[in-house]
Amino acid sequence: EAGVTQFPSHSVIEKGQTVTLRCDPISGHDNLYWYRRVMGKEIKFLLHFVKESKQDESGMPNNRFLAERTGGTYSTLKVQPAELEDSGVYFCASSQARFKAFFGQGTRLTVV
Amino acid sequence: GENVEQHPSTLSVQEGDSAVIKCTYSDSASNYFPWYKQELGKRPQLIIDIRSNVGEKKDQRIAVTLNKTAKHFSLHITETQPEDSAVYFCAASNGNQFYFGTGTSLTVIP
C-alpha cells in the first residue's frame, strides 16, 4: 500500500514569491490534515479536510495560506506571498477513521 | 483548546536501559493518544496508540500508560537499542484534530 506522499521534499523561495505544496493521501482516506513544524517546536495543526470539505481550518496562520482538496483526493497548500516566518517543515497526514493518522515525509520550506 | 506538554525534551540512555517519556493534556474530551517516532530525515511513524477506555497497552518493548484522571500518558521503552534513537512525539485527539507535544529527542548510547 502506498503511503502519504508529499511534493516537493524541499523548496527554497524568496520572500514575496508563491509556493504550492502537494499532498497525496493514502487511497480511500477521507481525512486529510496539514501540519507545520517550525524551528524544532511542536507539530502545529493547520487544517483538516473531510473529503473535499474543510472540517477545521482554525490553525491556518493568515489569509496568505490557501488549502484546497478538489475532488476529495490530493490536496494543495499554497503560500502567497511567502514571508520569512513561513519557513518550516509542512507535514500532511491522512486517516480513514479519525484515528491512526499516517504522515507524509514532509516538505521543508525555506523562505529567504 | 487542547494543550499537550511533553517532557523531557532530550533524553540519553545507555543501551539496554529503559526510557520513559511523559505527556500531559488539558482537554478532558481527548480520547485518543498516539505516539510517533521520527528518525532523522524520515516521516513521523505511528508506533503505538491508546484510547481513553484503556489504561495500558503493550507492544513488545514499547508500552503506553494512560491516567485519565490526572490527564497524563507515558511512553515506556524497555531494553533500548541504538535504533530506538529518534524524536518521539506524543499527541492527543478528540476525534477531530491532533494536538502534538514538542517532541523528545532520545539518544541510545551503545
Side-chain angles (χ1 to χ4, degrees), chain A residues 39-103:
Chain A
M39 292 283 290
K41 295 184 179 179
E42 74 270 27
I43 300 174
K44 290 199 76 172
F45 170 80
L46 295 178
L47 88 159
H48 170 206
F49 283 99
V50 178
K51 297 185 180 179
E52 68 275 9
S53 299
K54 292 177 184 175
Q55 178 76 12
D56 182 353
E57 54 183 328
S58 61
M60 295 287 264
N62 50 60
N63 59 10
R64 296 185 294 102
F65 289 73
L66 175 64
E68 295 180 324
R69 192 183 182 195
T70 307
T73 55
Y74 71 90
S75 174
T76 57
L77 179 65
K78 182 193 292 188
V79 185
Q80 178 183 29
E83 298 290 345
L84 299 179
E85 63 264 27
D86 301 333
S87 296
V89 180
Y90 290 76
F91 288 105
C92 174
S94 73
S95 67
Q96 189 168 34
R98 293 190 182 185
F99 302 104
K100 292 192 185 297
F102 296 89
F103 277 77

Side-chain angles (χ1 to χ4, degrees), chain A residues 4 35 45 98-101, chain B residues 32 36 43 49 95-96 98:
Chain A
V4 178
Y35 286 87
F45 170 80
R98 293 190 182 185
F99 302 104
K100 292 192 185 297
Chain B
Y32 174 64
Y36 287 84
R43 71 189 66 202
D49 55 7
N96 292 312
F98 293 81

